[in-house]
Amino acid sequence: MLQGALAGLAAGGLYAVLAVCLTLMSRLVRVVNFAQAATGMFGSYVSVWLAVHIGLPSWLAVAVGVLLGGALSVALGFVVSTWLAEASTGTRSAVTVAALLLLISLSFILFGNKPQPFQPLLAGPAFTAGGVVISQVTVATVGLAVVVAVASWLLLTRTTVGVSLRALSERPTTAELLGIPAKALSAAVWGVTGLLGTVIIEIVAPSQSNDATSLSMLVVPAAAAALLGGFRRLDLAVVGGLLLGVVQGALAQSEQLSIARYFVPFLAIAGLLLWSQRKEVWDAAR
């Protein structure tokens, strides 16, 4: 059970990184980006195609795929910020659902519906603690989640760029009147989160179910993790992602309970939404 729980940390780190990206998007550009994992999936698929069919070196194919994932995210952000600048968060987020479905459909057309032959970027154990083997992928994903969360917090609280980003998210019209480059900063947020999402999927895809739908739907557990922090707190997004991974890993060790691990993110989302509305729901039920 302990081995399974620790093995789940690899997926937990993946959820945590995506959850941090979702939190940053929600806080800074008023979008819950449901295409967060899909852009990473598409960039990763292109990197596999470049390596297998074109013969590019693996490192170059991965670099191109990561850049493509970032570019797709920026393109989506351009659409949202240009034509939906004054729209509500719900409307802006709905556009990303369309992008999610578009990228999944496009991947089926271009690459088929079978899993891709990803080559692992990291393989093998990193170290052993108390008889439990910790893989390199686990160390990389958990480490990346913590680094991204801490770096984002420092950027937002200790730099002038962070102050500009927070002003833009809370008072966009006032910020623009003060000369803050809204579109450039917005594009940067979309681009950086797109790059991070693609990098983490490139790392984890070889050890996961890596068909297009499974990779794109990683946004569901990531959203559950981000919801723990109310799409506002980066630390709770990381904790939520790691906790989800550990629970799923532990459940996978039980033959009777292993199927339940697929429902954990949905149960977490339902529970957190009900908890967030507890006053209204419980008062109405009296």
Side-chain angles (χ1 to χ4, degrees), residues 10 40 51 63 66 85 90 106-107 118 132 134 137 176 183-184 204 209 245 251 261 270:
V66 169
L106 193 57
S107 69
F118 280 91
V132 178
I134 308 297
V137 172
E176 286 193 72
K183 284 198 172 183
V204 176
S209 299
L251 290 175
R261 70 184 188 276

Side-chain angles (χ1 to χ4, degrees), residues 77-155:
F78 176 81
V79 171
V80 172
S81 61
T82 301
W83 286 288
L84 297 167
E86 303 300 327
S88 67
T89 301
T91 301
R92 290 157 68 89
S93 302
V95 173
T96 67
V97 177
L100 162 69
L101 299 176
L102 174 64
L103 288 171
I104 292 176
S105 301
L106 193 57
S107 69
F108 285 159
I109 294 170
L110 296 177
F111 309 111
N113 59 0
K114 295 182 179 178
Q116 296 298 302
F118 280 91
Q119 295 299 314
L121 300 180
L122 300 170
F127 60 89
T128 302
V132 178
V133 177
I134 308 297
S135 70
Q136 293 183 28
V137 172
T138 299
V139 173
T141 56
V142 174
L144 185 59
V146 174
V147 168
V148 169
V150 172
S152 300
W153 177 76
L154 290 173
L155 174 71

Side-chain angles (χ1 to χ4, degrees), residues 41-53:
M41 173 278 296
F42 198 85
S44 300
Y45 267 36
V46 169
S47 69
V48 171
W49 182 81
L50 289 173
V52 173
H53 297 282

